[in-house]
Each structure stands twice: as C-alpha cells, then as structure tokens.
Amino acid sequence: MQKPKSVVVPSGESAHRAGVERLLRSYRAIPADAPVRLAKKTSNLFRARARVNAPGLDVSGLGGVVAVDPVARTADVAGMCTYEDLVDATLPHGLAPLVVPQLKTITLGGAVTGLGIESTSFRNGLPHESVLEMDILTGAGEIVTATPDGEHADLFHGFPNSYGTLGYATRLRIELEAVKPYVALRHLRFDTLDEMQSALDRIATERVHAGVPVDYLDGVMFSATESYLTLGTQTDAPGPVSDYTGEHIYYRSIQHASVNHPRTDRLTVRDYLWRWDTDWFWCSRAFGAQNPRIRRLWPKRLLRSSFYWKLIALDHRYGVADRIERRKGNLPRERVVQDIEVPIERTAEFLRWFLDEIPIEPVWLCPLRLREGGPAARDAQRPWPLYPLEPKRTYVNVGFWSSVPTVAGEIEGAANRRIEHKVAELDGHKSLYSDSYYTRAEFEQLYYGGGDYPTLKKRYDPESRLLDLFSKAVHNK
C-alpha cells in the first residue's frame, strides 16, 4: 500500500477524552438564553450564515482519529476530523472509509449530519450508512451514545440531514473497507443523455462493465451531446500513474472525441480519492487557476479546496464579484451552488430541463443507492427519516456550482426556486448545504420525516438551545 504524504497517528482515548471535556466546559460557559453554536472559523457550507458575536462550542480537541482497528476494519474518529486526516490514518493499513466525500476538509461529523456522497455511493450508500455508533452532544448538554438498536436508536436514525440541530457528534465508529494501491480508470463518452442514463443505470446495478468489475462510478456532463461516465477498478498491478495535483487538470483529462474508444488512465488510490480537490472539481477556473500562465506561478500547496474557500470568504465579506458586475453595468449574479438527487429514470429529463433553464456547465453526476445490509438494515423501509430514499432504487446526484445572471424584477433566488420545484416534481431531493427558498410548509413536508423531527427535537433539545432545521437551512441563521 502506498504511503500517504503525511501519516496521521491516532491520538488515543486520553487525548479524545480531554477534547470532550473541553467541549463540555465550553457548553456550560454559554449563557442559558444564548444559542449554542460551533466556534469554528471554516465551513463547507455555502449558506451565508448570520454573524454572531457570542462564545461557541470549543471543538479544538475533536479533530483527530482516535484509533484504527485494522483487524475489525473499523475506526473511532472525532467528529471534527477531516477526511484528509482520516484517509491518511487508514491508508497505511490498506483501508479507507466506505465513502470518502470529494473535498479534503469535509469532516466526518459534517458528512454524517449533513450528508456526503462519492463514487462508491452506488454500492456503499452515504457516509452515515457505515456508522456503527456515535457519541453525540445533544442540545440538552448531555453526551449520549447512539446505536442502531439501543436506547437512542431514534437519534441514530434521525441524525443524518439534521445539520447540527439535534446535536454534534463527538466520536463516530465507522466501518472501513480494504483498498488496493491503484485505481484503473475508463472514461466512456456518450453523445446522448438517454444513452448515458441507460448505461449508468445498468452499471450501477450490475457493478461490472465489459467483464471488468466497477468499484467506483461517477460522471460529468459537458453538454447535451457530450457526457462521460468514469469507471474505476482497484488494482495492485504496478505501472505508471498520472498526476493531477499540479500542471494537469483532472476533469479535462476525462474528455475525448470517440464514443467507441474509451480513454484509460491510472491513479494512486490516494490521488483518486482527492482527484476533485485540486481544482474544486472545475470551480478553480473562477479564480484563474486553470489559466496555464497563472497556474505555473500558483503555489502547488494552494491548489486545493481549502484555499479556494478562503477566496470565497473574502468575496462574501467584501462583495468583490458584485462590485465587478456593477462596474460592468450588470445586476449582481445569482449563486447557484447545489447538489440534488433524482431517480435515475428521470435523470436525462432533469438534465435537459437544466440545460434549457440554467446556463451552467459542466455538471457532476454520481449514482447512489441505499446500502444493503448496513447498520440500518433492520428498518429497511424507512431507515433515515430526514432524508428518505427508497431502498433498492437508484438515484443520481447532480452537482452544479456556479452563478447565473439575474433579471430585473425577478424574485430573489429565482433560478434556485425553479430548481427546487423541478426536483420536487421529479420525486427528488435537494441537499441543504447551500441556499434554500422553501416555505415552512414545503420544507417540513420534505425534510421533517413526518413527525420524527419535532419528536427528536423535543427529546434531545427540549429548551431549543440549537436552531431548528428550517431556521438553519432556509433562514440562514
């Protein structure tokens, strides 16, 4: 197994306990009439959060891997541990999390309470589906251990998609899977969206293509006549590998001219897991980082999503992009940064509508299915009430991250509102990490799990110390 660029040594139980005690002390220091929030400067959310000049929860001691058990193939992980550190702690054992979201600074706790996805999701589901147990600091200030069948099973199943409104995970025990040192890639081109959808449906179900097993599966649509599926297969066969962490750009390597001749490639497993982080998928082009002249001067250590986040934060703070538009005589652009899921049989329909209505390209495609036989299998019909997906049904996540021109007189968030309505019409869902415009009635119908969320809120946050989900996701409090 290849060595990670930096080996993360697990911190151990004593260091983790000290971090939890620090967290609890900070909770007790917050006035009883003040809201409870995390005291963290960074976030992978795109919602513009309200500024609050009040003390928050001290999570500075909860950023590490507690322990890795290579025999049981499990890891105990602090809630604020980034996937970058988690992967660097597990790869030396030839292991990786079952789902590794695309960006290095996404935390395990964040991916579980706010959902995450990647190219193993067609076989492993979403990150919360590999969780065996969680220690959660609830809004009531208590730390409870939630398992699929224990006293707090309701919180275990209701925690995904609650976005910190029921509590914060301090420790998670997750399953790991064996991985090989390299990933062999096949990029398949399609000239029609219907052909792409059909192939994606078949491969996601059969997990094989042209007689070769498929371990990873995602895609990119550049236009109605140019889309690609990327099939990854683990391998331990030695050989040359590509490097997309510097001069070369991964998403451009996918494109090729011929439908009948797939393009092949090879990456180390670590570079495959982080293939999207170097250029934040393709969003680095907004900062000029894909211009060859600029890229030659751009420090390699800053070709990563965490640095682009800092640039975005500066833009939000000073309104740089809006000022530029005003100087051009234009209205401010509308940010359209979303991930949605639709049933696979509606994917081509949604993409055609999107191309007609929302001038953004390319877009990311990632199939997912609820994991079969995971910790929540006992409640197979309704395992995750706040983000209900049907068992044994394939969905496709469509990710698009850019902005569009606004039209004078249109309602705020016009493009995002059209997307929300279309996704609901197609029996889909939308992730809540970015701007949302639902009415309370619409939101509660989609995301409150019937009566589950209010019941959980009453049990685990009886004094409403934490924001409720509608206020956090829609009102951006």
Side-chain angles (χ1 to χ4, degrees), residues 123-164:
R123 58 183 178 86
N124 289 337
L126 302 175
H128 56 267
E129 297 187 76
S130 58
V131 175
L132 299 172
E133 66 177 35
M134 294 179 277
D135 292 340
I136 299 172
L137 173 65
T138 69
E142 301 172 337
I143 292 183
V144 303
T145 299
T147 61
D149 299 298
E151 177 186 359
H152 302 290
D154 57 347
L155 182 58
F156 181 91
H157 291 92
F159 195 69
N161 213 43
S162 64
Y163 278 88

Short mmCIF file of all heavy atoms in Angstrom, two decimals, residues 123-164:
data_model
loop_
_atom_site.label_atom_id
_atom_site.label_comp_id
_atom_site.label_asym_id
_atom_site.label_seq_id
_atom_site.Cartn_x
_atom_site.Cartn_y
_atom_site.Cartn_z
N ARG A 123 -22.61 1.58 -4.38
CA ARG A 123 -22.53 0.29 -3.68
C ARG A 123 -22.49 0.44 -2.16
O ARG A 123 -22.87 -0.49 -1.45
CB ARG A 123 -21.32 -0.52 -4.16
CG ARG A 123 -19.97 0.16 -3.99
CD ARG A 123 -18.84 -0.68 -4.58
NE ARG A 123 -17.54 -0.03 -4.48
CZ ARG A 123 -16.74 -0.10 -3.42
NH1 ARG A 123 -17.10 -0.82 -2.36
NH2 ARG A 123 -15.57 0.52 -3.42
N ASN A 124 -22.05 1.60 -1.64
CA ASN A 124 -21.90 1.77 -0.20
C ASN A 124 -22.84 2.81 0.40
O ASN A 124 -22.77 3.09 1.60
CB ASN A 124 -20.45 2.16 0.15
CG ASN A 124 -19.48 1.02 -0.02
OD1 ASN A 124 -19.87 -0.15 0.00
ND2 ASN A 124 -18.21 1.34 -0.21
N GLY A 125 -23.71 3.41 -0.41
CA GLY A 125 -24.64 4.38 0.12
C GLY A 125 -23.98 5.70 0.47
O GLY A 125 -23.07 6.17 -0.22
N LEU A 126 -24.41 6.31 1.58
CA LEU A 126 -23.90 7.60 2.02
C LEU A 126 -23.06 7.40 3.29
O LEU A 126 -23.14 6.34 3.93
CB LEU A 126 -25.06 8.55 2.26
CG LEU A 126 -25.96 8.78 1.03
CD1 LEU A 126 -27.16 9.65 1.38
CD2 LEU A 126 -25.17 9.40 -0.12
N PRO A 127 -22.25 8.39 3.69
CA PRO A 127 -21.33 8.17 4.83
C PRO A 127 -21.98 7.69 6.10
O PRO A 127 -21.40 6.88 6.84
CB PRO A 127 -20.68 9.56 5.01
CG PRO A 127 -20.68 10.14 3.64
CD PRO A 127 -21.98 9.68 3.03
N HIS A 128 -23.20 8.17 6.40
CA HIS A 128 -23.82 7.75 7.66
C HIS A 128 -24.19 6.27 7.67
O HIS A 128 -24.43 5.70 8.74
CB HIS A 128 -25.06 8.60 7.95
CG HIS A 128 -26.10 8.60 6.88
ND1 HIS A 128 -26.13 9.54 5.88
CD2 HIS A 128 -27.15 7.77 6.64
CE1 HIS A 128 -27.16 9.31 5.09
NE2 HIS A 128 -27.79 8.24 5.52
N GLU A 129 -24.22 5.62 6.50
CA GLU A 129 -24.61 4.22 6.45
C GLU A 129 -23.51 3.26 6.87
O GLU A 129 -23.75 2.06 7.00
CB GLU A 129 -25.13 3.87 5.06
CG GLU A 129 -26.39 4.64 4.67
CD GLU A 129 -26.98 4.16 3.37
OE1 GLU A 129 -27.61 3.08 3.40
OE2 GLU A 129 -26.80 4.83 2.35
N SER A 130 -22.30 3.76 7.08
CA SER A 130 -21.22 2.92 7.59
C SER A 130 -20.89 3.24 9.04
O SER A 130 -19.89 2.75 9.57
CB SER A 130 -19.97 3.07 6.72
OG SER A 130 -19.54 4.42 6.68
N VAL A 131 -21.73 4.04 9.69
CA VAL A 131 -21.52 4.36 11.10
C VAL A 131 -22.09 3.23 11.96
O VAL A 131 -23.23 2.79 11.76
CB VAL A 131 -22.20 5.70 11.47
CG1 VAL A 131 -22.08 5.98 12.97
CG2 VAL A 131 -21.56 6.84 10.68
N LEU A 132 -21.31 2.79 12.94
CA LEU A 132 -21.74 1.74 13.86
C LEU A 132 -22.29 2.31 15.15
O LEU A 132 -23.23 1.75 15.72
CB LEU A 132 -20.57 0.80 14.16
CG LEU A 132 -19.98 0.08 12.94
CD1 LEU A 132 -18.71 -0.65 13.32
CD2 LEU A 132 -21.00 -0.88 12.35
N GLU A 133 -21.70 3.40 15.63
CA GLU A 133 -22.21 4.09 16.80
C GLU A 133 -21.65 5.50 16.83
O GLU A 133 -20.63 5.79 16.22
CB GLU A 133 -21.88 3.35 18.10
CG GLU A 133 -20.40 3.29 18.43
CD GLU A 133 -20.14 2.59 19.76
OE1 GLU A 133 -20.88 1.64 20.09
OE2 GLU A 133 -19.20 3.00 20.47
N MET A 134 -22.36 6.38 17.56
CA MET A 134 -21.94 7.77 17.65
C MET A 134 -22.12 8.26 19.08
O MET A 134 -23.13 7.94 19.73
CB MET A 134 -22.80 8.67 16.75
CG MET A 134 -22.68 8.45 15.28
SD MET A 134 -23.77 9.59 14.36
CE MET A 134 -25.34 8.68 14.44
N ASP A 135 -21.15 9.02 19.58
CA ASP A 135 -21.34 9.82 20.78
C ASP A 135 -21.77 11.20 20.32
O ASP A 135 -21.09 11.84 19.50
CB ASP A 135 -20.04 9.94 21.59
CG ASP A 135 -19.62 8.62 22.21
OD1 ASP A 135 -20.48 7.72 22.33
OD2 ASP A 135 -18.43 8.49 22.55
N ILE A 136 -22.89 11.70 20.83
CA ILE A 136 -23.48 12.96 20.37
C ILE A 136 -23.73 13.88 21.55
O ILE A 136 -24.36 13.48 22.53
CB ILE A 136 -24.79 12.70 19.61
CG1 ILE A 136 -24.54 11.83 18.37
CG2 ILE A 136 -25.45 14.02 19.20
CD1 ILE A 136 -25.80 11.38 17.67
N LEU A 137 -23.20 15.09 21.47
CA LEU A 137 -23.56 16.13 22.43
C LEU A 137 -24.90 16.71 22.00
O LEU A 137 -25.00 17.33 20.94
CB LEU A 137 -22.50 17.24 22.46
CG LEU A 137 -22.85 18.47 23.31
CD1 LEU A 137 -22.95 18.12 24.78
CD2 LEU A 137 -21.85 19.59 23.07
N THR A 138 -25.93 16.50 22.78
CA THR A 138 -27.27 16.96 22.42
C THR A 138 -27.46 18.42 22.82
O THR A 138 -26.64 19.00 23.56
CB THR A 138 -28.34 16.11 23.11
OG1 THR A 138 -28.31 16.37 24.52
CG2 THR A 138 -28.10 14.63 22.86
N GLY A 139 -28.55 18.99 22.38
CA GLY A 139 -28.87 20.35 22.76
C GLY A 139 -29.10 20.51 24.25
O GLY A 139 -28.99 21.62 24.79
N ALA A 140 -29.40 19.41 24.92
CA ALA A 140 -29.60 19.45 26.37
C ALA A 140 -28.29 19.42 27.14
O ALA A 140 -28.29 19.46 28.37
CB ALA A 140 -30.47 18.27 26.80
N GLY A 141 -27.16 19.35 26.42
CA GLY A 141 -25.86 19.37 27.08
C GLY A 141 -25.40 18.01 27.57
O GLY A 141 -24.44 17.93 28.35
N GLU A 142 -26.03 16.94 27.14
CA GLU A 142 -25.65 15.59 27.54
C GLU A 142 -24.99 14.88 26.36
O GLU A 142 -25.35 15.11 25.20
CB GLU A 142 -26.90 14.79 27.95
CG GLU A 142 -27.67 15.42 29.10
CD GLU A 142 -29.00 14.71 29.35
OE1 GLU A 142 -29.51 14.06 28.40
OE2 GLU A 142 -29.49 14.82 30.47
N ILE A 143 -24.05 14.02 26.65
CA ILE A 143 -23.45 13.19 25.62
C ILE A 143 -24.06 11.80 25.72
O ILE A 143 -23.98 11.14 26.75
CB ILE A 143 -21.92 13.13 25.74
CG1 ILE A 143 -21.34 14.51 25.43
CG2 ILE A 143 -21.34 12.08 24.80
CD1 ILE A 143 -19.83 14.58 25.46
N VAL A 144 -24.72 11.39 24.65
CA VAL A 144 -25.34 10.07 24.59
C VAL A 144 -24.68 9.25 23.50
O VAL A 144 -24.14 9.80 22.53
CB VAL A 144 -26.86 10.18 24.34
CG1 VAL A 144 -27.53 11.04 25.41
CG2 VAL A 144 -27.14 10.76 22.95
N THR A 145 -24.69 7.94 23.67
CA THR A 145 -24.16 7.04 22.65
C THR A 145 -25.33 6.46 21.87
O THR A 145 -26.19 5.78 22.43
CB THR A 145 -23.33 5.92 23.28
OG1 THR A 145 -22.22 6.49 23.98
CG2 THR A 145 -22.81 4.97 22.20
N ALA A 146 -25.37 6.77 20.59
CA ALA A 146 -26.48 6.34 19.73
C ALA A 146 -26.03 5.18 18.85
O ALA A 146 -24.97 5.25 18.20
CB ALA A 146 -26.96 7.50 18.86
N THR A 147 -26.80 4.11 18.86
CA THR A 147 -26.54 2.93 18.04
C THR A 147 -27.82 2.56 17.29
O THR A 147 -28.91 3.05 17.63
CB THR A 147 -26.09 1.74 18.91
OG1 THR A 147 -27.14 1.42 19.83
CG2 THR A 147 -24.81 2.08 19.68
N PRO A 148 -27.73 1.69 16.30
CA PRO A 148 -28.93 1.36 15.52
C PRO A 148 -30.05 0.74 16.34
O PRO A 148 -31.23 0.88 15.99
CB PRO A 148 -28.41 0.38 14.47
CG PRO A 148 -26.96 0.66 14.35
CD PRO A 148 -26.52 1.09 15.71
N ASP A 149 -29.73 0.05 17.44
CA ASP A 149 -30.75 -0.69 18.18
C ASP A 149 -30.81 -0.34 19.66
O ASP A 149 -31.56 -0.97 20.40
CB ASP A 149 -30.49 -2.20 18.05
CG ASP A 149 -30.54 -2.66 16.61
OD1 ASP A 149 -31.60 -2.54 16.00
OD2 ASP A 149 -29.50 -3.13 16.10
N GLY A 150 -30.07 0.66 20.10
CA GLY A 150 -30.02 0.95 21.51
C GLY A 150 -31.08 1.94 21.97
O GLY A 150 -32.04 2.25 21.26
N GLU A 151 -30.85 2.47 23.18
CA GLU A 151 -31.80 3.41 23.79
C GLU A 151 -32.01 4.65 22.93
O GLU A 151 -33.09 5.24 22.92
CB GLU A 151 -31.27 3.81 25.17
CG GLU A 151 -32.11 4.84 25.89
CD GLU A 151 -31.48 5.31 27.19
OE1 GLU A 151 -30.39 4.79 27.54
OE2 GLU A 151 -32.07 6.20 27.85
N HIS A 152 -30.97 5.04 22.21
CA HIS A 152 -31.04 6.27 21.41
C HIS A 152 -31.03 5.96 19.91
O HIS A 152 -30.50 6.72 19.11
CB HIS A 152 -29.87 7.18 21.77
CG HIS A 152 -29.84 7.55 23.23
ND1 HIS A 152 -30.78 8.37 23.80
CD2 HIS A 152 -29.00 7.14 24.22
CE1 HIS A 152 -30.51 8.49 25.10
NE2 HIS A 152 -29.44 7.76 25.38
N ALA A 153 -31.66 4.83 19.56
CA ALA A 153 -31.75 4.46 18.14
C ALA A 153 -32.50 5.51 17.34
O ALA A 153 -32.22 5.72 16.16
CB ALA A 153 -32.42 3.10 17.99
N ASP A 154 -33.46 6.19 17.97
CA ASP A 154 -34.20 7.23 17.25
C ASP A 154 -33.27 8.37 16.82
O ASP A 154 -33.38 8.89 15.71
CB ASP A 154 -35.35 7.76 18.10
CG ASP A 154 -34.91 8.32 19.45
OD1 ASP A 154 -33.76 8.08 19.87
OD2 ASP A 154 -35.74 9.00 20.10
N LEU A 155 -32.32 8.73 17.69
CA LEU A 155 -31.36 9.77 17.35
C LEU A 155 -30.37 9.27 16.30
O LEU A 155 -29.99 10.02 15.40
CB LEU A 155 -30.62 10.23 18.60
CG LEU A 155 -29.60 11.36 18.41
CD1 LEU A 155 -30.26 12.61 17.84
CD2 LEU A 155 -28.90 11.69 19.73
N PHE A 156 -29.98 8.01 16.39
CA PHE A 156 -29.05 7.42 15.41
C PHE A 156 -29.63 7.56 14.00
O PHE A 156 -28.94 7.98 13.07
CB PHE A 156 -28.80 5.96 15.74
CG PHE A 156 -27.84 5.26 14.81
CD1 PHE A 156 -26.49 5.24 15.08
CD2 PHE A 156 -28.30 4.63 13.66
CE1 PHE A 156 -25.59 4.60 14.21
CE2 PHE A 156 -27.42 3.99 12.79
CZ PHE A 156 -26.06 3.98 13.07
N HIS A 157 -30.90 7.22 13.85
CA HIS A 157 -31.51 7.25 12.53
C HIS A 157 -31.95 8.65 12.12
O HIS A 157 -32.06 8.95 10.92
CB HIS A 157 -32.69 6.29 12.47
CG HIS A 157 -32.28 4.85 12.52
ND1 HIS A 157 -32.19 4.15 13.72
CD2 HIS A 157 -31.91 3.99 11.56
CE1 HIS A 157 -31.78 2.91 13.46
NE2 HIS A 157 -31.60 2.78 12.17
N GLY A 158 -32.22 9.53 13.09
CA GLY A 158 -32.66 10.88 12.77
C GLY A 158 -31.54 11.89 12.63
O GLY A 158 -31.77 13.01 12.18
N PHE A 159 -30.31 11.49 12.98
CA PHE A 159 -29.17 12.42 12.95
C PHE A 159 -28.78 12.83 11.53
O PHE A 159 -28.52 14.01 11.28
CB PHE A 159 -27.99 11.78 13.68
CG PHE A 159 -26.88 12.73 14.03
CD1 PHE A 159 -27.07 13.70 15.00
CD2 PHE A 159 -25.66 12.65 13.38
CE1 PHE A 159 -26.05 14.59 15.33
CE2 PHE A 159 -24.64 13.53 13.71
CZ PHE A 159 -24.82 14.50 14.69
N PRO A 160 -28.74 11.92 10.55
CA PRO A 160 -28.37 12.33 9.19
C PRO A 160 -29.35 13.35 8.61
O PRO A 160 -30.56 13.17 8.66
CB PRO A 160 -28.40 11.00 8.40
CG PRO A 160 -28.14 9.96 9.43
CD PRO A 160 -28.85 10.45 10.65
N ASN A 161 -28.80 14.41 8.08
CA ASN A 161 -29.51 15.55 7.50
C ASN A 161 -30.14 16.47 8.55
O ASN A 161 -30.96 17.31 8.23
CB ASN A 161 -30.59 15.13 6.50
CG ASN A 161 -30.75 16.15 5.38
OD1 ASN A 161 -29.77 16.66 4.85
ND2 ASN A 161 -31.98 16.48 5.03
N SER A 162 -29.71 16.35 9.80
CA SER A 162 -30.19 17.26 10.83
C SER A 162 -29.31 18.49 10.98
O SER A 162 -29.67 19.44 11.67
CB SER A 162 -30.30 16.53 12.18
OG SER A 162 -29.02 16.11 12.64
N TYR A 163 -28.13 18.49 10.37
CA TYR A 163 -27.25 19.66 10.29
C TYR A 163 -26.98 20.32 11.65
O TYR A 163 -27.02 21.53 11.79
CB TYR A 163 -27.83 20.69 9.32
CG TYR A 163 -27.51 20.38 7.88
CD1 TYR A 163 -28.35 19.56 7.13
CD2 TYR A 163 -26.36 20.88 7.27
CE1 TYR A 163 -28.05 19.25 5.82
CE2 TYR A 163 -26.06 20.57 5.96
CZ TYR A 163 -26.90 19.76 5.24
OH TYR A 163 -26.60 19.45 3.93
N GLY A 164 -26.69 19.51 12.65
CA GLY A 164 -26.33 20.06 13.94
C GLY A 164 -27.49 20.63 14.72
O GLY A 164 -27.27 21.27 15.76
#
